[in-house]
Amino acid sequence: MTSPTTPRAVTRADVARYAGVSTSVVSYVVHDGPRPVAAETAARVRDAIRVLGYRPNASAQALRTGSSKMLGLIVPELDNPLWSEVAIAVEQAAADRGYDVLISSSDGDVALERDRMRSLSARQVDGLIVTSIMTRPDLSTVVDPGLPMVLLNTFFEVPEFASTGVDARRGAFDGTAHLAGHGYSSIGLVIGHAGSDTDLREQGWQDALREHGVQDGPIVRTEFSRAGGYTAGLRMFGSANRPRAVFVSSDMQAVGVLRALYELGLSAPTDVAIVSFDGTAEADFTNPQLTAVRQPIDAMAAGAVDRVLGRVAGEQWHRDLVPAELVLGASCGCDVRR
């Protein structure tokens, strides 16, 4: 049996002949420039595109221009509200600058993170933005050295790589100091597992306790998840010597802590005052609403996109540090009734 002949792909020249215009005019209509096209002519070209089923060849365009108009983004996971908000913010910032984004998740795995970087690099993206699961990632051997790359939401400076991150130490200090300002004499800490470096949020918590003369409360290290916060809450508040307040290193952990308190017959802020870190939309819909140290995700995403596109003056391997904002809810004991 003879196989059917594969239909020839519709070309820009086909569209031009159908519409009675030059191929350059078709290009101007498809790419919205660089030269203007009369409305009637543009409508004729678009009608030809629709009738013929023309699809511009992005790969060919990239070869001609040297740009794919595409950025790569790697996040640790997409079911965490923080990383979802980061992905949306990067996508919007890139779109505002005429770029699309290929988003990939490392699923919290170091080896997979490196594979994702190699894969996106091979797709000829114009730049790569990485939210690494490693505190101080060694990225020198995993990407094309000529590919612009920016690390987003890193707490520490990574030599020879541009990075954008929140001032986590100061943010944690402000959140803990706010609890101390309420007069709570014991402030605990729920935080992720310790790595080779002390987490900057833990350092900020300690700084605030020292400055306000408050003794260190208990520390529980757990996963950055709702389940991790739930387990930590049961451990920290299931005994009689529980702290009166707690700083929690992520909103998702704080949601788990709130559930643990409920199951223990306790409530926030009556029995335990809470301040969390991240300030995602999730923090706005807990009961009570979480007081949170909010990361400026939109500003960080825009800065990372501008940095990877080379639109920021200054040294190439620069670290942009942005301040966090304390957003008051009722979980800390503030009266925020409106």
Side-chain angles (χ1 to χ4, degrees):
M1 179 182 294
T2 303
S3 61
T5 302
T6 303
R8 181 178 67 85
V10 177
T11 67
R12 186 172 58 178
D14 295 329
V15 175
R17 280 192 296 270
Y18 191 96
V21 299
S22 69
T23 54
S24 296
V25 170
V26 175
S27 179
Y28 299 154
V29 173
V30 169
H31 301 292
D32 196 23
R35 294 184 179 179
V37 177
E40 182 179 344
T41 303
R44 200 163 66 245
V45 171
R46 294 191 183 97
D47 184 61
I49 290 172
R50 178 184 59 80
V51 171
L52 298 177
Y54 172 63
R55 297 177 62 188
N57 189 324
S59 298
Q61 173 75 7
L63 287 173
R64 286 194 301 271
T65 64
S67 170
S68 65
K69 304 297 284 186
M70 186 81 67
L71 299 177
L73 170 66
I74 299 173
V75 295
E77 54 188 346
L78 286 170
D79 60 351
N80 182 322
L82 174 65
W83 303 125
S84 297
E85 291 185 18
V86 165
I88 292 170
V90 169
E91 194 171 45
Q92 183 59 60
D96 291 343
R97 293 152 180 79
Y99 285 75
D100 291 319
V101 179
L102 285 175
I103 301 173
S104 185
S105 171
S106 66
D107 292 327
D109 182 87
V110 173
L112 189 57
E113 179 179 285
R114 293 179 179 228
D115 287 343
R116 294 289 189 258
M117 282 191 278
R118 282 190 285 263
S119 176
L120 288 175
S121 176
R123 291 178 181 271
Q124 297 183 326
V125 294
D126 291 336
L128 192 58
I129 297 173
V130 181
T131 54
S132 178
I133 66 170
M134 296 178 281
T135 303
R136 297 182 186 270
D138 177 12
L139 307 172
S140 59
T141 62
V142 297
V143 294
D144 177 355
L147 178 67
M149 186 170 75
V150 171
L151 296 171
L152 176 59
N153 200 53
T154 55
F155 289 170
F156 293 94
E157 182 175 0
V158 180
E160 297 187 358
F161 285 93
S163 62
T164 298
V166 70
D167 189 345
R169 184 169 186 169
R170 181 68 200 190
F173 175 92
D174 290 343
T176 306
H178 182 74
L179 289 171
H182 276 280
Y184 304 126
S185 59
S186 177
I187 303 174
L189 174 68
V190 171
I191 197 163
H193 293 296
S196 57
D197 297 289
T198 301
D199 192 298
L200 290 178
R201 287 163 292 193
E202 182 173 343
Q203 294 180 31
W205 170 78
Q206 291 175 336
D207 293 344
L209 296 183
R210 301 290 183 274
E211 183 164 312
H212 288 80
V214 179
Q215 289 187 338
D216 290 8
I219 300 176
V220 177
R221 305 187 190 280
T222 187
E223 300 296 328
F224 284 104
S225 65
R226 300 177 186 89
Y230 171 71
T231 301
L234 293 177
R235 286 178 54 190
M236 182 172 288
F237 301 108
S239 61
N241 60 343
R242 60 179 182 264
R244 181 60 184 82
V246 61
F247 181 77
V248 186
S249 63
S250 77
D251 294 341
M252 290 223 301
Q253 290 172 321
V255 169
V257 169
L258 285 171
R259 175 179 170 179
L261 292 177
Y262 176 80
E263 293 188 2
L264 292 169
L266 303 172
S267 66
T270 304
D271 301 297
V272 178
I274 301 175
V275 172
S276 66
F277 192 91
D278 282 341
T280 60
E282 187 143 324
D284 293 334
F285 292 94
T286 57
N287 186 21
Q289 179 183 349
L290 286 168
T291 291
V293 177
R294 177 170 292 168
Q295 298 201 53
I297 291 174
D298 290 343
M300 290 164 56
V305 170
D306 283 339
R307 178 69 64 180
V308 82
L309 292 177
R311 298 186 178 190
V312 181
E315 296 182 6
Q316 187 177 7
W317 312 127
H318 182 75
R319 172 157 176 76
D320 298 311
L321 192 64
V322 294
E325 176 190 8
L326 183 65
V327 179
L328 298 181
S331 68
C332 63
C334 285
D335 185 355
V336 292
R337 289 173 294 182
R338 296 176 177 85

